Amino acid sequence: MAVRIQAADFDAGAEIAALRRGNPKVGAVASFVGVCRDANDGAAVSRMTLEHYPGMTEKAIGAIVAQAKERWGVIDALVIHRVGELKPADQIVLVAVTGAHRGEVFAACEFIMDYLKTRAPFWKKEQTPQGSRWVEARVSDDEAAGRWAGKSKDAA
Amino acid sequence: MKVKVLYFAGLREQVGTPSEDLDVPPTTVAGLRSQLMARGGAWQTALAQGKALRVAVNQEMAQPTTAVKPGDEVAFFPPVTGG
C-alpha cells in the first residue's frame, strides 16, 4: 500500500507493472487515471493549480486505502496524486489495485476514487478566460461516495 | 494555550494568511471559529456561519463540538475538490 503526493508526472504503465511484479497470487489489476480537462462548468480551462494539506492528505488517503483493503481483501493498492501546476491533458491521479479476482479490484478502485474526491484535502484552482477561480465541490461527488455506505461486500 | 491554525485554498486567500500561532483559552472548533470571526472584516465573511466549511483537528476531520487542546493543529478549509 503506497500513497504518493508529487509535482512530477508518473508512468502509469510502469507503476502498475511494479505493483504486481513478483506476486503470482495477483489475478486482476484495476486502475484509474484522472486527467485535466480543457473545460469545466462552461468555461475553457488553460491551467490548473492543485493545493493540498501536507500530512493530512497522505493520512486521509492511507485511511481510505486501508478501508478498501479490509472491505474487499485486495492484495495491494497504489495512489499517486499530483499537486502544483497542471495543464489540460496532464495526468492528475492514478489509483491502481491488485487482487485475486476482477470483482474486488474494480470495486476497490472505484471506492478509493469516490472517497478520495470527497475526503482527501486537495483543492483545484482553474485559470479561465474570465480569470482564476476555485473549483466548487459537487453534490454528485458526495452522492458517489455515499452509495458505498449501505453496500454489503456481496452486493459490491 | 497555544494552538496552530491553518487555512487552505480560497479561505487562505480570503483571510490573507496560510497559518498562525494563537494563544487562546481551551475551546472547541465552534468556539475558535467564533473568536476568529470576531476579528471582523474578511475573517467574518470567510468564516461566516452557514458557509460550507470543513475543519480538521490534528489532521482528522472534526465537528463543531470537537475540543481544541493545547498544542493542537486546527485547519479550516473549503470542501475538497481533488481527484
Side-chain angles (χ1 to χ4, degrees):
Chain A
M1 304 284 153
V3 176
R4 278 161 34 205
I5 312 298
Q6 61 187 49
D9 196 12
F10 51 82
D11 179 340
E15 296 292 350
I16 291 165
L19 190 66
R20 71 178 185 88
R21 186 168 298 139
N23 190 343
K25 296 200 183 326
V26 173
V29 184
S31 65
F32 172 87
V33 176
V35 176
C36 180
R37 274 174 290 121
D38 69 356
N40 187 33
D41 278 337
V45 174
S46 58
R47 220 157 27 85
M48 175 187 283
T49 309
L50 260 151
E51 178 173 331
H52 78 300
Y53 180 172
M56 181 174 172
T57 307
E58 291 85 345
K59 266 195 223 172
I61 299 175
I64 294 165
V65 169
Q67 221 180 314
K69 186 173 187 194
E70 192 186 328
R71 185 160 169 181
W72 287 283
V74 298
I75 293 171
D76 206 354
L78 167 70
V79 177
I80 302 176
H81 202 299
R82 295 178 68 192
V83 291
E85 297 276 312
L86 296 174
K87 55 187 190 308
D90 281 351
Q91 303 187 107
I92 302 173
V93 57
L94 168 69
V95 177
V97 181
T98 63
H101 305 285
R102 72 182 185 285
E104 62 226 34
V105 296
F106 273 133
C109 186
E110 193 172 19
F111 168 88
I112 291 170
M113 208 42 228
D114 283 347
Y115 269 43
L116 183 153
K117 298 258 334 169
T118 53
R119 299 185 182 191
F122 290 102
W123 302 273
K124 287 178 182 150
K125 191 179 198 181
E126 298 171 334
Q127 197 67 45
T128 74
Q130 291 76 41
S132 63
R133 63 180 186 190
W134 289 98
V135 173
E136 301 259 330
R138 292 174 198 274
V139 174
S140 60
D141 286 336
D142 284 332
E143 289 166 355
R147 74 205 156 100
W148 295 101
K151 246 182 189 179
S152 73
K153 187 182 170 176
D154 298 332
Chain B
M1 63 172 197
K2 291 194 189 319
V3 294
K4 188 176 186 68
V5 187
L6 308 176
Y7 310 95
F8 289 96
L11 187 61
R12 168 177 53 75
E13 289 183 343
Q14 279 182 284
V15 302
T17 184
S19 70
E20 61 183 322
D21 294 307
L22 292 182
D23 207 341
V24 294
T27 184
T28 59
V29 163
L32 182 61
R33 183 177 179 173
S34 302
Q35 284 184 52
L36 294 167
M37 279 175 63
R39 292 171 169 176
W43 293 91
Q44 191 165 5
T45 320
L47 299 167
Q49 299 299 334
K51 225 178 147 159
L53 191 68
R54 304 285 182 265
V55 188
V57 175
N58 298 328
Q59 308 191 348
E60 301 272 354
M61 293 309 297
Q63 301 301 319
T65 52
T66 303
V68 177
K69 299 187 287 297
D72 279 355
E73 177 178 294
V74 184
F76 291 88
F77 48 82
V80 304
T81 57

